[in-house]
Amino acid sequence: MAEFGRQRGKRQEDGGLGSVLDLLLANARLVLGVTGAAVLAIATLAVKRLIDRATSPRDEGDPKAEQKTLEESWQDLTLIKATSKPPKKQRREDLSEPLLSPARPPVPGEALMPRVCSAPLETPRVESAPPRCLTLQEKLLSHYSSRLAVPEVQVSLAPQLARSICAQLQNFLRSKCPELPFGSLFLSGPLLDGLEALTADHIHLMLPVVLDTMLWSLIPGEDTVVRNPQYWMIKRTDLEYFPRGCSPWDRFIVGQYLSSNALNETLHKMLVASINWPAIGSLLGSVIHPVVASQELKLEVKHDQVELSIILFPVVEMEDKVLLAAPPEGLVENLWLQSFYRAEVSKVKELDAGDSGARQHCLRILNGVCKSHPALHKLSGSPLTHVVLHLSATSSDWAEESLADRFQQVLEELVGYLEKGVLPSYFNHKINLFCELSEDEIDEMGFMLYRAISEPELLLKEK
């Protein structure tokens, strides 16, 4: 009776344990998948068998039964060890083989050798090197080569188109106005002098106005009504001995002064109404039209590979001065603007030739940055060149390796000039190149450049 109670209790325990194991195995397939559930089932079976043998009565003194029990225990432990290791991923060619091979029971009397499982060789992990931080020098050179350099086709095609238009305009003026002693038209601008950046989108046509120095004289800007040393007036002299009509340019006199505005108006009418630009454009494989609503003498040229703006400037050269017919906005129409462009380019190239400097390279980058930035575009051109020339008087190291240092130093100099609101001309310290900027424009430029001193990369970002 006692034996029956023990067996019944054992069956109840087995039944309860079996229910738990069945529930565990049923859920294991959902959680672990087929392979994981199989491994768990084998491990569970091995544990269950060990428990059964531990709770079942032993046959004391039976050596065969003890040997059988020992063999079964080794087999169960082998199963447990096998399941305790993570399943090894099979290669594609091994998928037909079973995931686990049954463990061979040890032969009685055979020495047990520990099973050595060779761990799979791990592929050495190659760590990618962190991205190298570029220096400012490298960023400037990369920015110039990738964004600022003018395409070669534009560098060659734009001047070629401008020269062809220049020749056509020269022929027209000689046939239409033979009495006016215009000199030979010539091209000018940063593109021709190697200081251009971004695009070859504008070229200047210089139209020399040849004056008789016996009949004309220059009046300095300080002595004019505008009190601006950057502008000059050209006065007709000796009218009592050489009355009006003695000079072919007397038709453009306003109050004894050669009027730049009157000359521009005459030329503007010719450009708009008298020249057959469609015919000239068809010969050059392009479309040319004058800009009517403009104070400048401007032509727009569209070609398949380039779009170009050509601005015509009447120019007077007297007493080592170069004066452009570009009067300021307002009522004063007799003023001529003194241009230093030719002297600027000549001086920069002279300095670079003397010390193998990179001033021109620095200017190309600066001009490209300022032209592409809405707040800084008015600094491009002459103001930047004069800052570089001023800086050259105090900083002698303009080698290519020092480009980043000089670039940042130019920014610092610009901020200093903007704080004062004065940028003196390198060739005439009486001239303030910031005189036509408003206070708001100066503040905006100064704020932007002040930030760029500590973080120059701000100027190199895409706009």
Side-chain angles (χ1 to χ4, degrees):
M1 188 68 178
E3 179 68 19
F4 175 78
R6 285 196 300 271
Q7 292 178 359
R8 183 183 177 187
K10 181 178 182 300
R11 283 196 298 269
Q12 289 177 350
E13 291 175 0
D14 292 343
L17 181 59
S19 299
V20 173
L21 293 175
D22 291 341
L23 178 63
L24 180 61
L25 293 175
N27 292 327
R29 182 172 181 178
L30 295 175
V31 176
L32 302 176
V34 177
T35 304
V39 173
L40 182 59
I42 295 171
T44 305
L45 179 60
V47 173
K48 182 175 181 299
R49 288 168 60 180
L50 288 174
I51 294 174
D52 288 345
R53 282 193 293 274
T55 56
S56 61
R58 297 183 181 181
D59 295 330
E60 301 292 339
D62 188 352
K64 292 184 178 180
E66 292 180 0
Q67 180 68 28
K68 181 178 179 181
T69 302
L70 185 59
E71 291 174 0
E72 290 175 351
S73 299
W74 287 339
Q75 184 177 357
D76 295 337
L77 288 174
T78 304
L79 287 174
I80 293 173
K81 289 180 180 179
T83 57
S84 65
K85 297 178 181 179
K88 184 179 178 180
K89 292 185 179 179
Q90 289 183 316
R91 295 174 299 186
R92 185 68 182 172
E93 57 270 17
D94 297 332
L95 291 179
S96 59
E97 300 178 2
L99 289 173
L100 291 174
S101 56
R104 179 178 64 84
V107 179
E110 179 179 334
L112 277 177
M113 297 296 293
R115 187 175 180 180
V116 179
C117 297
S118 59
L121 295 177
E122 293 185 1
T123 304
R125 183 181 299 175
V126 179
E127 296 184 359
S128 58
R132 186 173 64 88
C133 294
L134 297 178
T135 64
L136 178 58
Q137 175 93 0
E138 292 170 330
K139 289 178 181 179
L140 289 174
L141 296 176
S142 174
H143 185 72
Y144 173 75
S145 61
S146 62
R147 290 196 58 222
L148 301 182
V150 182
E152 288 297 329
V153 64
Q154 294 184 9
V155 172
S156 59
L157 183 58
Q160 181 180 343
L161 283 172
R163 289 188 182 94
S164 299
I165 294 172
C166 179
Q168 295 291 335
L169 184 57
Q170 186 82 69
N171 293 335
F172 171 83
L173 291 175
R174 286 175 178 172
S175 62
K176 182 73 174 179
C177 309
E179 74 283 2
L180 294 177
F182 288 114
S184 298
L185 282 161
F186 61 92
L187 306 184
S188 180
L191 177 64
L192 303 172
D193 298 308
L195 300 179
E196 186 58 282
L198 295 176
T199 56
D201 58 354
H202 66 281
I203 288 181
H204 296 161
L205 274 185
M206 314 306 289
L207 177 61
V209 174
V210 182
L211 299 178
D212 186 348
T213 56
M214 298 293 295
L215 302 177
W216 303 92
S217 63
L218 298 182
I219 306 298
E222 298 96 320
D223 299 337
T224 65
V225 292
V226 294
R227 302 297 179 186
N228 189 336
Q230 195 170 3
Y231 289 94
W232 293 71
M233 298 181 76
I234 304 175
K235 185 177 182 180
R236 178 69 158 83
T237 59
D238 295 331
L239 285 174
E240 62 275 16
Y241 300 106
F242 304 98
R244 287 196 178 193
C246 292
S247 172
W249 302 107
D250 285 346
R251 56 189 286 191
F252 302 107
I253 287 179
V254 175
Q256 294 190 356
Y257 296 95
L258 182 62
S259 173
S260 56
N261 191 57
L263 179 58
N264 281 340
E265 287 181 353
T266 300
L267 292 172
H268 187 269
K269 292 177 182 177
M270 292 181 184
L271 291 178
V272 171
S274 302
I275 303 177
N276 190 355
W277 293 116
I280 296 175
S282 63
L283 291 175
L284 302 178
S286 57
V287 177
I288 306 172
H289 62 86
V291 180
V292 178
S294 174
Q295 297 296 324
E296 298 174 317
L297 305 174
K298 190 173 183 179
L299 298 173
E300 296 288 353
V301 182
K302 292 185 178 181
H303 189 273
D304 291 340
Q305 296 177 300
V306 67
E307 293 188 4
L308 185 63
S309 294
I310 298 178
I311 301 178
L312 178 66
F313 285 103
V315 55
V316 171
E317 296 190 37
M318 288 181 64
E319 303 175 9
D320 298 327
K321 307 290 188 301
V322 179
L323 308 177
L324 304 181
E329 296 181 2
L331 300 177
V332 181
E333 58 181 27
N334 296 339
L335 297 179
W336 292 72
L337 175 67
Q338 184 173 5
S339 171
F340 296 99
Y341 178 76
R342 190 185 304 171
E344 293 166 8
V345 174
S346 176
K347 186 64 176 179
V348 168
K349 291 186 175 182
E350 176 189 336
L351 292 173
D352 273 353
D355 58 9
S356 300
R359 295 172 184 82
Q360 297 174 73
H361 195 172
C362 186
L363 277 173
R364 283 192 292 269
I365 296 175
L366 288 165
N367 278 321
V369 168
C370 290
K371 283 181 64 176
S372 61
H373 200 290
L376 304 176
H377 71 278
K378 287 190 176 181
L379 289 178
S380 62
S382 189
L384 289 175
T385 305
H386 284 253
V387 172
V388 169
L389 290 175
H390 283 306
L391 190 57
S392 296
T394 57
S395 299
S396 58
D397 184 9
W398 283 89
E400 188 78 21
E401 296 77 15
S402 304
L403 178 62
D405 294 336
R406 298 291 81 78
F407 178 87
Q408 196 154 6
Q409 197 171 1
V410 170
L411 299 184
E412 295 171 359
E413 293 292 312
L414 272 171
V415 170
Y417 290 127
L418 288 168
E419 286 178 349
K420 300 176 183 177
V422 176
L423 173 57
S425 167
Y426 179 79
F427 302 100
N428 183 355
H429 283 217
K430 296 180 181 179
I431 297 175
N432 176 18
L433 298 179
F434 286 164
C435 65
E436 295 184 3
L437 296 178
S438 67
E439 290 186 5
D440 290 340
E441 289 173 331
I442 289 177
D443 290 342
E444 187 177 7
M445 293 176 186
F447 175 72
M448 184 66 205
L449 292 174
Y450 183 79
R451 291 177 58 199
I453 289 176
S454 58
E455 192 177 353
E457 293 80 3
L458 286 174
L459 301 178
L460 306 182
K461 293 179 179 178
E462 296 284 343
K463 303 296 184 296

